Amino acid sequence: FTGSAFGSAAIWQYESLKSRVQTYFEEARADWLDKIRPQKRGDFRKQVNSWWNNLTEGQRTVTGIIAANVFVFCLWRLPGMRRIMFTYFTSDPSSRALCSPMLLSTFSHFSLFHMAANMYVLWSFSSSIVSLLGCEQFIAVYLSAGVISTFVSYVAKTATGRFEPSLGA
């Protein structure tokens, strides 16, 4: 999984760089149109774009991860989703589904405080680590760390004979 994650991140990084170079040249040609067109006032989409563009690359990357964690947290609150959530979003070495929970449980938090603390820490160091690694490699590290820690949890549970489900990485 880790090799695939980093291989995919390298391809994604190349395509992202290529796209940024193309966008730069397209925007340079289109800038003169923005000066001619009248600007709308109070445009909500423009305000959101302005907020988004003021975030660092790390904060933009982590915003997606936080959104995924919040979405999964909300799914835990739906009674009709409990069976699916326990099957695929908890890690349990005695479960029928072993591989997908290794990744999906990384996004799973049952306690609001636990999720908020984890997301705050992730947000706090995101700018520096993404500037060091790049967003693609950071996501590969995040996902790989989740899968590897779940695997270690599987090994520890099997060694101790305790086969109860757990959440998170």
Side-chain angles (χ1 to χ4, degrees):
F1 178 83
T2 300
S4 296
F6 280 100
S8 299
I11 293 168
W12 181 20
Q13 204 165 18
Y14 167 76
E15 292 296 329
S16 180
L17 179 62
K18 187 171 89 172
S19 174
R20 275 187 259 156
V21 169
Q22 289 173 343
T23 302
Y24 173 77
F25 287 116
E26 289 170 2
E27 286 177 357
R29 284 193 310 247
D31 271 348
W32 65 275
L33 278 175
D34 287 340
K35 294 175 185 172
I36 297 171
R37 268 187 271 175
Q39 299 296 318
K40 294 180 183 177
R41 291 182 182 256
D43 188 11
F44 178 73
R45 182 174 176 214
K46 192 170 191 166
Q47 292 172 350
V48 170
N49 282 337
S50 174
W51 169 79
W52 183 257
N53 291 331
N54 287 332
L55 294 176
T56 65
E57 185 180 15
Q59 291 171 332
R60 279 183 259 156
T61 302
V62 171
T63 299
I65 294 172
I66 291 172
N69 279 279
V70 169
F71 179 71
V72 170
F73 180 78
C74 291
L75 288 177
W76 274 106
R77 301 301 175 258
L78 300 174
M81 293 296 294
R82 285 287 171 108
R83 184 171 177 204
I84 292 170
M85 298 305 289
F86 273 109
T87 302
Y88 294 105
F89 288 84
T90 61
S91 59
D92 183 1
S94 64
S95 174
R96 289 179 300 144
L98 287 176
C99 294
S100 56
M102 289 179 78
L103 176 63
L104 296 176
S105 69
T106 304
F107 299 98
S108 216
H109 299 84
F110 200 72
S111 160
L112 179 63
F113 177 75
H114 178 218
M115 182 185 66
N118 284 356
M119 296 306 104
Y120 173 75
V121 170
L122 190 62
W123 181 270
S124 68
F125 74 81
S126 65
S127 295
S128 58
I129 196 77
V130 169
S131 68
L132 179 67
L133 296 175
C135 72
E136 301 87 359
Q137 298 296 324
F138 171 74
I139 290 174
V141 167
Y142 179 83
L143 295 176
S144 295
V147 169
I148 290 169
S149 64
T150 303
F151 177 74
V152 170
S153 172
Y154 279 178
V155 170
K157 287 178 183 180
T158 303
T160 60
R162 296 176 31 216
F163 296 108
E164 66 268 354
S166 60
L167 295 170

